[in-house]
Amino acid sequence: MGSTTTQTQTITAENIIRLFPDVDTHLATSHRVPASDNDLQGYDEEQIRLMEEVCIVLDENDVPIGSASKKVCHLMTNINDGLLHRAFSVFLFDSKNRLLLQQRASEKITFPDMWTNTCCSHPLGVPGETGDELEAAVQGVRRAAQRKLDQELGINAKEVPLDQFRFLTRIHYKAPSDGKWGEHEIDYILFIKADVDHTPNPNEVKDTRYVSEAELKRMFTDDSLKFTPWFKLICESMLFEWWEHLDQGLDRYTGETQIRRML
């Protein structure tokens, strides 16, 4: 008996909806950065591509109300009009209670060459990383944190299990990077204690350093070093108190439901 070959139709952007009515084409095109985008001329090609990532747009109570590209969310013209998105900041400590810092790569479009906490990024507007209620949102940022620790620092997900990320609080802050770019975020603060192997992605991270509390305080006195605004806010307000209770008493600082306004 001879075999029968079924001829399948080539799927294109023009016929996809007719062939598969359940497919939503909006996400595939709505956040794409045009090749001729003047705002991004002269920047690193990989960092331009990452500007297409889909961020979660929020109201002031951290309720998702839409999505927009990373580019749209970080333009100061939009930030000045109130556009707000969800973010996270990971603080990874080793078994000696030293904090892993990173220096952002020169290729970064926002806040290049600045020192900051272990990993700072955004949960994406995709299943698994978003969430309306706080518990679901925290789990979403944990997944995003695991993804970005791998992408930026080469830290394997097995070394940073989801259930080991401890959620402390959220901060709402706004900060310009330069005249064009900036941040306006509700930032989820995550602590994790783990001894990890890390291999930084040079397109994301220029340098890394483990520091004690005393060493970090000395870094802040060095005028040649620059720090991201969210990291400075957290250090100046809360970090060192949390750090002192890393091994005992941290529970009373975790799971805060009120958003800390630091505008």
Side-chain angles (χ1 to χ4, degrees):
M1 180 181 293
S3 61
T4 302
T5 301
T6 303
Q7 192 71 29
T8 58
Q9 185 170 344
T10 300
I11 299 172
T12 67
E14 287 71 34
N15 67 18
I16 184 70
I17 293 300
R18 177 173 57 80
L19 293 172
F20 304 100
D22 293 331
V23 170
D24 181 0
T25 61
H26 179 71
L27 184 62
T29 58
S30 62
H31 305 293
R32 189 172 296 159
V33 175
S36 59
D37 192 315
N38 290 332
D39 289 322
L40 293 169
Q41 289 296 316
Y43 289 108
D44 176 78
E45 183 177 338
E46 174 63 10
Q47 292 297 319
I48 291 174
R49 185 189 68 79
L50 291 172
M51 280 295 193
E52 297 180 356
E53 290 186 334
V54 182
C55 292
I56 303 166
V57 174
L58 307 169
D59 69 12
E60 290 198 349
N61 295 312
D62 193 29
V63 176
I65 54 175
S67 64
S69 71
K70 183 178 174 182
K71 177 207 164 182
V72 167
C73 288
H74 289 82
L75 282 169
M76 282 306 301
T77 51
N78 296 328
I79 289 170
N80 289 334
D81 286 337
L83 190 63
L84 175 65
H85 64 279
R86 185 174 288 167
F88 66 84
S89 288
V90 173
F91 293 74
L92 185 149
F93 301 87
D94 68 6
S95 57
K96 298 178 181 178
N97 285 356
R98 298 179 302 171
L99 173 62
L100 179 59
L101 303 182
Q102 68 155 276
Q103 184 182 22
R104 292 164 66 87
S106 300
E107 289 84 355
K108 298 288 284 185
I109 294 172
T110 59
F111 307 99
D113 300 310
M114 293 189 182
W115 284 94
T116 194
N117 50 287
T118 314
C119 181
C120 341
S121 191
H122 315 90
L124 301 181
V126 297
E129 292 193 12
T130 189
D132 293 340
E133 300 300 324
L134 182 58
E135 183 177 354
V138 168
Q139 193 66 2
V141 298
R142 284 177 174 139
R143 293 189 184 103
Q146 198 179 61
R147 170 177 57 81
K148 289 298 289 184
L149 283 167
D150 183 16
Q151 189 260 331
E152 292 188 4
L153 291 161
I155 297 174
N156 191 288
K158 292 180 180 178
E159 297 186 290
V160 284
L162 291 180
D163 60 3
Q164 295 301 303
F165 287 98
R166 305 185 73 180
F167 165 66
L168 278 78
T169 190
R170 295 168 287 176
I171 64 168
H172 178 188
Y173 78 97
K174 182 191 297 185
S177 175
D178 54 21
K180 181 182 292 185
W181 307 102
E183 294 284 9
H184 185 206
E185 302 178 328
I186 291 181
D187 189 14
Y188 284 61
I189 311 303
L190 300 175
F191 272 26
I192 187 167
K193 188 170 179 178
D195 288 320
V196 300
D197 293 319
H198 69 284
T199 305
N201 174 355
N203 190 256
E204 292 284 340
V205 177
K206 187 174 187 176
D207 197 4
T208 61
R209 183 183 302 181
Y210 277 102
V211 294
S212 66
E213 294 177 65
E215 288 168 336
L216 179 55
K217 289 175 180 177
R218 282 198 296 272
M219 286 179 70
F220 280 124
T221 67
D222 186 342
D223 292 337
S224 69
L225 302 178
K226 304 298 181 185
F227 299 88
T228 60
W230 62 87
F231 184 51
K232 288 179 70 174
L233 277 173
I234 295 165
C235 288
E236 291 168 357
S237 60
M238 301 166 285
L239 177 63
F240 294 106
E241 182 177 350
W242 292 337
W243 202 336
E244 290 174 6
H245 294 87
L246 187 60
D247 290 326
Q248 190 171 6
L250 188 64
D251 286 347
R252 65 190 174 105
Y253 298 103
T254 60
E256 190 169 273
T257 58
Q258 185 173 352
I259 300 168
R260 297 187 182 225
R261 309 291 178 180
M262 306 182 77
L263 299 167

